[in-house]
Amino acid sequence: MFKQIRLDERLIHGQVAIKWSRHTGVDRIICASDAAAANPIIQKSLMMAAPATCKTAIKSVDEVIKMMENPKAADHDILMLCQTPEDLLRLLNELAVKPDWVNVGNFGRVAPKRLDGSMRKTYAPNLYLYDDEKEALKKVLALGYRTIYQTTPEDTPEPLDKLLG
């Protein structure tokens, strides 16, 4: 069963490895990231951060879409992680198996300013978005999934649509 898909630019880190993996009871973590899949150093770092209780895969977005087409995916409790709102939208549109819900966690602290000078706006303590990223998340909301902002399981989940306005 595909438990959750989470937008978190850091992919696997302490909150995911310890808190979210236990809270959701997953046995698999899949990172859908073209950048991480193409960089052996990032892959090794993510694998070191992954909990020993979960089999972990770091694949490109295309590879993850194909991987989830395999009927064996339904036999596992999966937490999928992605790095960008655009990848989240693509995954939700193209995955054959759909998640129970969508979690937006930590996003936007890295590179708060673009080369053209545009800045990310603050929507929550750990959620910063450029206008195009906000529009991608609004498209996610339009798909009808239960979509929340919640950095850790202990935090009170907030409906993403209320934060984005």
Side-chain angles (χ1 to χ4, degrees):
M1 173 192 277
F2 189 4
K3 295 269 189 166
Q4 175 189 9
I5 188 166
R6 177 177 169 88
L7 170 64
D8 191 323
E9 67 190 344
R10 299 174 296 170
L11 296 173
I12 302 174
H13 53 87
Q15 290 173 352
V16 169
I18 296 169
K19 294 182 177 193
W20 283 111
S21 66
R22 290 180 185 164
H23 178 73
T24 55
V26 296
D27 61 2
R28 300 285 191 271
I29 294 176
I30 299 173
C31 295
S33 167
D34 294 342
N39 187 321
I41 294 170
I42 291 174
Q43 285 182 34
K44 286 179 184 177
S45 298
L46 292 171
M47 293 302 280
M48 287 191 305
T53 57
C54 296
K55 187 172 181 182
T56 303
I58 300 148
K59 304 286 184 187
S60 70
V61 174
D62 285 336
E63 290 172 315
V64 168
I65 291 166
K66 285 187 186 223
M67 183 188 325
M68 293 300 289
E69 290 174 358
N70 186 329
K72 291 181 182 179
D75 297 337
H76 299 287
D77 294 324
I78 298 169
L79 168 59
M80 187 177 296
L81 306 166
C82 63
Q83 280 187 306
T84 70
E86 296 80 12
D87 285 347
L88 175 63
L89 179 60
R90 181 169 173 225
L91 288 162
L92 291 171
N93 276 320
E94 295 184 33
L95 285 169
V97 179
K98 303 300 182 186
D100 288 348
W101 57 293
V102 178
N103 172 241
V104 174
N106 301 294
F107 184 78
R109 284 187 183 238
V110 177
K113 184 187 258 188
R114 286 189 171 154
L115 293 176
D116 66 4
S118 59
M119 297 284 293
R120 283 191 165 125
K121 295 175 187 153
T122 304
Y123 292 89
N126 290 299
L127 181 61
Y128 308 87
L129 302 166
Y130 297 120
D131 290 341
D132 59 315
E133 294 167 335
K134 177 182 177 183
E135 288 309 309
L137 289 178
K138 284 192 168 208
K139 289 177 183 175
V140 165
L141 291 169
L143 295 174
Y145 290 94
R146 176 178 171 246
T147 305
I148 58 150
Y149 165 77
Q150 186 178 19
T151 55
T152 68
E154 297 81 21
D155 294 332
T156 302
E158 298 179 58
L160 186 63
D161 59 341
K162 289 185 180 177
L163 293 175
L164 297 183

